[in-house]
Amino acid sequence: MKTLASMVKSKDSERPLEGLKVYVTHVKEALIPHPSGKSARERILQELLELEKEGKLGVEFIAVQRGDRICKSIAPLSGYC
């Protein structure tokens, strides 16, 4: 993400990737439970959020659950979402 941020010209130099959404769609669960008791999905999302907090790039990480729809309403396609 830092490499991408260095390539992007942004009005906001403090948060160069502001508005970028990263959807985490698939996480393989571990065969052996983690000592913390958290699922792999919870741990990965927590790590991503911590990295964003540290890097302050403006990225929004979204963990998608089975059955969730990912779409942005676009006028000609609005009937699909």
Side-chain angles (χ1 to χ4, degrees):
M1 291 294 167
K2 288 181 181 181
T3 302
L4 177 61
S6 70
M7 296 177 180
V8 174
K9 292 188 181 199
S10 173
K11 293 180 251 176
D12 185 0
S13 62
E14 295 205 12
R15 296 175 61 86
L17 299 178
E18 185 76 47
L20 175 65
K21 294 180 181 183
V22 175
Y23 293 89
V24 180
T25 59
H26 183 80
V27 176
K28 287 246 189 235
E29 288 297 332
L31 295 175
I32 301 170
H34 192 266
S36 69
K38 292 183 179 180
S39 70
R41 176 180 292 277
E42 292 170 324
R43 291 190 335 271
I44 289 172
L45 188 58
Q46 180 181 6
E47 289 174 13
L48 290 170
L49 294 173
E50 287 172 7
L51 288 171
E52 168 54 31
K53 187 176 179 180
E54 178 184 307
K56 298 178 184 164
L57 300 176
V59 179
E60 180 182 355
F61 293 99
I62 303 164
V64 179
Q65 300 293 325
R66 177 175 281 166
D68 285 352
R69 296 179 113 184
I70 302 172
C71 64
K72 181 176 181 179
S73 182
I74 302 171
L77 303 176
S78 60
Y80 294 103
C81 294

